[in-house]
Amino acid sequence: MNAVETLLAPADALRTRLYRLVAPWAGPLFADRDRRVAWIGVGSVGLSFLLTLTVPLWTLALGPVLLGVPHLVSDVRYLVVRPGLLQRGGFALLCGVPVLATCFGAGPEVGLLAMVPAILGAHGPAWRKGLLLTVWAALTAFAVGSPLGIRLALLHGHNVMAVALWWWAWRRTHARAWGVPLLATVGTVALLLGVAEPVLTALGTWTAPATGTTFEAFMWALAPLEEQPVLAARQVLVFAFLQSVHYSVWLRLIPEDDRPRAAPRSWRATWRALVEDFGAPPLALMLLLALSVAAYGAWDLTEARLSYLQLAMFHGFLELAVAALWLVEGRGPRAPTQP
């Protein structure tokens, strides 16, 4: 793994030069995590909205292929590894089996089973467990009665869940970041009201043949409303927007909030922290998987995206299970100390 640090050394040198260049006016952001997270979050939401206004098909097609695996790694890191859930033995196994089963074709009702041991094994009052078991039962009934409905609800809902989970669980370190959920809500409403359509029509970006897919294909997969094509198109745009926001949450905002030290890490320090959390061999496999999905995307973007989506089925159920655990216990993650 020293070879990776050697490769990252030039990036750290460039980073140091850039920091020195902008320090006179951006210096407070380096020391004040709360302010930095707020600015990064607002900028990420703004960029996500701009991409949705201009290149939504590219956003939908490339996002999962380039950022999907890294965001899954972050998901597991901050929900399971750093909070120490693996040390809870059989409890973690009982949650993990139904979650991982969804990667191999198990239905959503199986993935939802992960919520049960998470709720029952949590340390908290019985009334919270009863309430969340009721939520689980309702979701399971929905999954059994309407497989398509639960799939669509999970597809759209997990983007919102990322923002909600971050905002609640790490709220003590980002008091100024209220602009992130606010702007995400404003952007969603604006897209549902149709603000993107004149822009996309003027730019001619409703289609993007090089992506190997069409807007209609995403409408069929994400919003199959045959009698309401305008509403379906707007829902797809909302999905593109919130998907980008949720990648930003997992790849930028949660890592910033979860880190014990307020100052930003160097690239090499980031790599060392990843190795410490996962170990070198698992991390090497994750890196190989991320590169493989990206390389597959260069050959067949559509198939690479669909393959990734099958692999990523587990993480929505993982988020539901961990959120249930934290809600019962009335807390967010308790990360171990790490420089």
Side-chain angles (χ1 to χ4, degrees), residues 190-213:
L191 291 171
L192 287 174
L193 292 176
V195 299
E197 288 146 47
V199 178
L200 293 171
T201 301
L203 294 176
T205 47
W206 283 107
T207 60
T211 62
T213 187

Side-chain angles (χ1 to χ4, degrees), residues 22-97:
V22 302
W25 58 273
L29 295 180
F30 303 150
D32 188 337
R33 171 171 34 205
D34 186 5
R35 185 181 301 180
R36 185 170 66 252
V37 169
W39 278 102
I40 291 173
V42 168
S44 297
V45 175
L47 178 60
S48 297
F49 191 75
L50 179 62
L51 291 173
T52 304
L53 281 180
T54 54
V55 286
L57 272 177
W58 282 107
T59 301
L60 289 163
L62 282 179
V65 172
L66 296 181
L67 301 177
V69 173
H71 114 279
L72 293 181
V73 172
S74 183
D75 202 271
V76 173
R77 185 186 191 191
Y78 294 108
L79 294 183
V80 178
V81 177
R82 284 186 56 74
L85 293 189
L86 293 176
Q87 280 68 55
R88 295 175 77 158
F91 165 78
L93 180 64
L94 288 172
C95 291
V97 169

Side-chain angles (χ1 to χ4, degrees), residues 192-248:
L192 287 174
L193 292 176
V195 299
E197 288 146 47
V199 178
L200 293 171
T201 301
L203 294 176
T205 47
W206 283 107
T207 60
T211 62
T213 187
T214 64
F215 210 85
E216 288 73 19
F218 280 105
M219 289 168 61
W220 180 254
L222 298 172
L225 304 171
E226 296 182 21
E227 297 181 359
Q228 302 181 64
V230 173
L231 178 59
R234 292 176 182 179
Q235 286 186 357
V236 171
L237 291 172
V238 167
F239 181 87
F241 169 57
L242 292 179
Q243 178 180 258
S244 294
V245 172
H246 115 280
Y247 284 146
S248 299

Side-chain angles (χ1 to χ4, degrees), residues 109-195:
E109 67 278 5
V110 175
L112 289 168
L113 283 173
M115 293 179 66
V116 177
I119 294 167
L120 295 179
H123 307 298
W127 69 267
R128 289 185 185 173
K129 293 184 179 185
L131 179 61
L132 285 165
L133 284 173
T134 302
V135 172
W136 164 77
L139 288 173
T140 301
F142 183 27
V144 172
S146 179
L148 176 60
I150 192 68
R151 183 182 70 83
L152 293 173
L154 290 171
L155 276 171
H156 290 273
H158 93 285
N159 290 333
V160 177
M161 192 192 312
V163 178
L165 191 63
W166 160 73
W167 180 254
W168 178 77
W170 282 269
R171 61 193 180 279
R172 294 180 181 175
T173 53
H174 60 235
R176 295 185 181 133
W178 52 266
V180 177
L182 175 62
L183 288 179
T185 302
V186 170
T188 298
V189 172
L191 291 171
L192 287 174
L193 292 176
V195 299

